Amino acid sequence: MEATQYLRIALVFLSLVIFSRFSFAASKSSGFSIKLIPIDSSESPLYQPNLTHHERVERRVNITLAKAKLTKLRFTQNATFSDDKLLSVLDRQYLFYIAYMMIGNPVQPVYLMVDTGGHLTWTQCKPCINCFQQSYPIYNSQASSSYHRVNCDHPLCNYNEPSSVFRCVNGDCVYTITYGDGPTASGPTKGYLSSESFHFTNRDFDDEEFTVLFGCSNDNINFNFGNQPSNRISGILGLDLDPTSLVSQLHETIGGVFSYCIVPYDQNYPFDVHPHILRFGDDVQLPEGNIPTTPFISFVGRSFYYLDLIDISVGRYRLYLPPGSFDATLGHGILIDSGNPFSTLTTSSTSGLNVFELVTTAFSLHYDSYNLVRVLPHPTSNIRFNLCYVGREGFRDYLPLTYHFQGADYVVHSRFVHMEFNEGFFCVALMPSPFASILGAYHMQNMRIIHNTVINAIQFYEEECASDHF
C-alpha cells in the first residue's frame, strides 16, 4: 500500500501501536484496556511449562534475532508496502504477545496474535470453508446480532488500488492476505471485510463497546500455530499504521494516548512472566508534576517510533558519541519496541562506529577490573549474549545503563541490564544489530511507558508494574 495513504506514523508496544486519523468508533470513551499476554506467561495459549529458564531465554533471543532481521528487511524495502509481501513471519517462535478479546453480541471470546506489522484484524469465522485446528469455539458470525458484512462502497475497501488486499465480489468487500514471502510465508487467509462490536474493559471494570471493521476469515491455510491440537489462537490483531488496523480506527476515541508497564520477568521466580495491560485514552493516568519526556520522530512510509538518542552511559562512564550517531533519517536510529524481548545496539552507526562494541567494552573493562572470569554461556547454548561472566559470592557492583535522549535520560536499573543464570554466571543482556538499534522489553521492566501523540513524545517514569492489573 502506498505510503501516501498513511496519515500518521507511530508504533505500539510493543512496536508497537500505530495511529492514523481515521476513526470508526461508535461512541466516545473514557478510556479502556486490553490484556496482552507474553508467550512465556502461564496464561498464554503458547505457554510451555516444562521449559527451563535457559530455554526460555533462548526463545526470547531467537525472537529478538528474528525481529532484527525483519526490521532490517523492512528498512531495505521501497516506499510501497504490499500485504502479500509483508515481512512479518507468523510463527509461534517469532510473535511475542497474544491478546484476549471479546467480540459480538452476545460476546464470543477470541485469542489473537498481536502483529505490529499487520493491518487488518481477523479471526476464523463460521461457516468455514477451511479452518485450522482451534480448541476454542470458532467465532460464529451468524450468532451475533451486531455482525454485518461491509459492501464495496465503504471508504476502507480500496479494491481499485493496485496493492490492495481487497476485491469486490457480488457487492461484498472480500480480502486475501498472506504474511511473509516464499517458503516461510503464512496464509493466505480469506474472508469478508465486516463490522462487529468489540468489547473492552475500562478502569471502572465496565464494558466499553465499539463498532470496528475486521476480517471474518472462513478460508485459512498454512498458519503454524494452527498445527497444535490444543491451539486456542484464532487470528491476528493488526496494530500497524494502516487505516484498517484496530488502533487506527479508534484513534479519536483514545485521544492519541496509550501506555503499558512491563512486570519484571523474575517477579515470581523462576521466570514467571505476567500479562501486561495496554491502556488507552483516559485509562492512562498521568502523575502530577513533570515527568521525563522525549520527542519521537516519524517518517512517511516507516511504521516506527524513532527516538532522538544523543549518547549512552555505562555506569558513570559516558561514551560521548559523535553527534548524529543515531540519525534516523539514514535508517540507523533507535526505535522503541516492547514486542522486541531484548534491546539491540547497532554495529554500524551513522558515524561509522560500532556502538554495540563500545558499550560492551565499557562493561567488560569494569568487570575485568574485579578479575571476574569471562565465559561463554554454554557450549550448546543458543543464548548468544556476547559478554558473560562467572558470578562471585557477594559481588554486587553491577552497572546500570543510561540512554541520553533529547530532553530526558532513560536509566535502566542494573537489575534489568543483566541476566543471571542458575549455572552461576551472568550476562549483559544486549544484542548486536547491523542496522537500527531497538529499545526492547527487557529494558522497560518496572517503567511506565506512555506514547503521547498529542505532544508527539514518549513519556516514562519508574513504577512497580506488578501493581498494574485489572
Side-chain angles (χ1 to χ4, degrees):
M1 187 169 294
E2 295 295 333
T4 54
Q5 296 178 13
Y6 302 145
L7 301 183
R8 190 155 187 155
I9 308 293
L11 176 72
V12 101
F13 204 47
L14 331 216
S15 355
L16 344 175
V17 172
I18 312 286
F19 299 110
S20 78
R21 291 193 179 276
F22 290 97
S23 176
F24 295 89
S27 62
K28 295 298 180 181
S29 170
S30 59
F32 59 88
S33 300
I34 298 176
K35 178 187 285 189
L36 296 182
I37 308 171
I39 58 173
D40 279 320
S41 169
S42 59
E43 296 185 34
S44 169
L46 301 182
Y47 181 63
Q48 298 181 39
N50 295 325
L51 289 182
T52 66
H53 179 214
H54 208 277
E55 290 169 331
R56 294 185 195 281
V57 175
E58 285 189 10
R59 180 158 68 166
R60 288 171 176 269
V61 167
N62 289 336
I63 294 171
T64 301
L65 292 172
K67 288 179 71 68
K69 182 183 295 185
L70 295 176
T71 300
K72 181 179 179 180
L73 289 172
R74 282 194 178 100
F75 277 122
T76 58
Q77 302 303 300
N78 57 30
T80 299
F81 288 78
S82 169
D83 271 29
D84 63 353
K85 298 287 179 67
L86 272 178
L87 299 166
S88 180
V89 182
L90 295 177
D91 186 279
R92 55 190 295 149
Q93 176 176 308
Y94 298 155
L95 290 183
F96 195 37
Y97 292 104
I98 298 101
Y100 181 72
M101 309 284 292
M102 304 293 288
I103 62 176
N105 285 294
V107 295
Q108 302 178 49
V110 293
Y111 283 94
L112 303 178
M113 277 284 199
V114 177
D115 182 13
T116 58
H119 299 351
L120 185 68
T121 294
W122 61 268
T123 185
Q124 292 202 117
C125 184
K126 288 183 177 180
C128 290
I129 297 173
N130 289 301
C131 283
F132 52 75
Q133 173 65 35
Q134 179 183 325
S135 61
Y136 247 56
I138 294 175
Y139 163 76
N140 185 356
S141 62
Q142 296 177 346
S144 174
S145 62
S146 50
Y147 172 82
H148 300 283
R149 286 185 183 177
V150 171
N151 62 42
C152 302
D153 295 330
H154 195 283
L156 290 190
C157 184
N158 58 345
Y159 62 90
N160 287 319
E161 297 178 8
S163 61
S164 177
V165 301
F166 299 113
R167 293 181 298 115
C168 187
V169 178
N170 298 324
D172 291 320
C173 188
V174 301
Y175 58 87
T176 300
I177 302 175
T178 301
Y179 298 85
D181 198 10
T184 61
S186 294
T189 179
K190 302 177 182 179
Y192 294 92
L193 183 65
S194 308
S195 68
E196 180 59 287
S197 292
F198 277 56
H199 300 259
F200 306 94
T201 301
N202 65 21
R203 192 173 288 275
D204 297 324
F205 304 102
D206 294 328
D207 178 73
E208 294 276 359
E209 181 178 347
F210 302 99
T211 299
V212 173
L213 296 187
F214 81 114
C216 181
S217 287
N218 60 2
D219 191 356
N220 314 292
I221 60 173
N222 196 31
F223 287 96
N224 290 344
F225 49 75
N227 295 334
Q228 305 298 319
S230 60
N231 172 57
R232 286 183 282 175
I233 297 171
S234 63
I236 305 299
L237 176 61
L239 296 174
D240 81 342
L241 50 72
D242 190 81
T244 60
S245 77
L246 176 66
V247 184
S248 294
Q249 295 184 56
L250 299 178
H251 174 73
E252 290 183 9
T253 297
I254 64 178
V257 177
F258 67 93
S259 172
Y260 48 90
C261 195
I262 297 178
V263 181
Y265 301 146
D266 60 353
Q267 189 70 28
N268 287 314
Y269 189 82
F271 216 67
D272 187 13
V273 181
H274 292 242
H276 315 314
I277 308 301
L278 186 59
R279 299 190 179 277
F280 298 92
D282 290 344
D283 222 23
V284 179
Q285 294 186 341
L286 297 177
E288 295 182 0
N290 296 325
I291 60 175
T293 301
T294 183
F296 63 74
I297 307 166
S298 59
F299 301 93
V300 173
R302 294 188 191 174
S303 56
F304 301 100
Y305 272 143
Y306 290 92
L307 302 180
D308 188 2
L309 182 61
I310 298 170
D311 205 356
I312 297 175
S313 289
V314 176
R316 297 180 180 179
Y317 175 73
R318 185 156 176 163
L319 297 183
Y320 289 105
L321 296 169
S325 293
F326 295 90
D327 187 347
T329 62
L330 300 179
H332 292 259
I334 182 168
L335 54 98
I336 182 171
D337 182 2
S338 63
N340 207 68
F342 295 109
S343 294
T344 63
L345 289 176
T346 182
T347 57
S348 178
S349 70
T350 304
S351 58
L353 296 175
N354 185 331
V355 176
F356 174 80
E357 184 177 51
L358 291 173
V359 170
T360 53
T361 297
F363 276 108
S364 66
L365 289 173
H366 173 74
Y367 296 123
D368 289 346
S369 70
Y370 283 91
N371 294 319
L372 297 181
V373 178
R374 187 171 175 177
V375 294
L376 294 175
H378 195 276
T380 60
S381 173
N382 194 35
I383 290 179
R384 303 185 192 180
F385 290 136
N386 288 42
L387 192 62
C388 299
Y389 288 89
V390 175
R392 179 187 297 168
E393 185 177 354
F395 180 78
R396 293 292 181 269
D397 195 10
Y398 299 101
L399 294 181
L401 181 70
T402 303
Y403 296 92
H404 299 284
F405 294 115
Q406 180 183 333
D409 287 344
Y410 185 100
V411 181
V412 183
H413 191 280
S414 60
R415 170 188 174 192
F416 306 130
V417 173
H418 304 83
M419 174 75 71
E420 295 190 52
F421 295 87
N422 294 337
E423 293 87 346
F425 66 90
F426 69 89
C427 299
V428 176
L430 276 170
M431 301 188 68
S433 169
F435 215 68
S437 302
I438 299 175
L439 179 63
Y442 200 75
H443 283 175
M444 298 183 196
Q445 297 175 84
N446 269 358
M447 190 75 77
R448 168 66 60 185
I449 306 292
I450 302 167
H451 296 241
N452 192 330
T453 64
V454 176
I455 60 174
N456 293 330
I458 300 295
Q459 300 172 293
F460 54 88
Y461 58 92
E462 291 187 13
E463 180 178 320
E464 288 294 329
C465 295
S467 63
D468 186 36
H469 51 75
F470 286 128

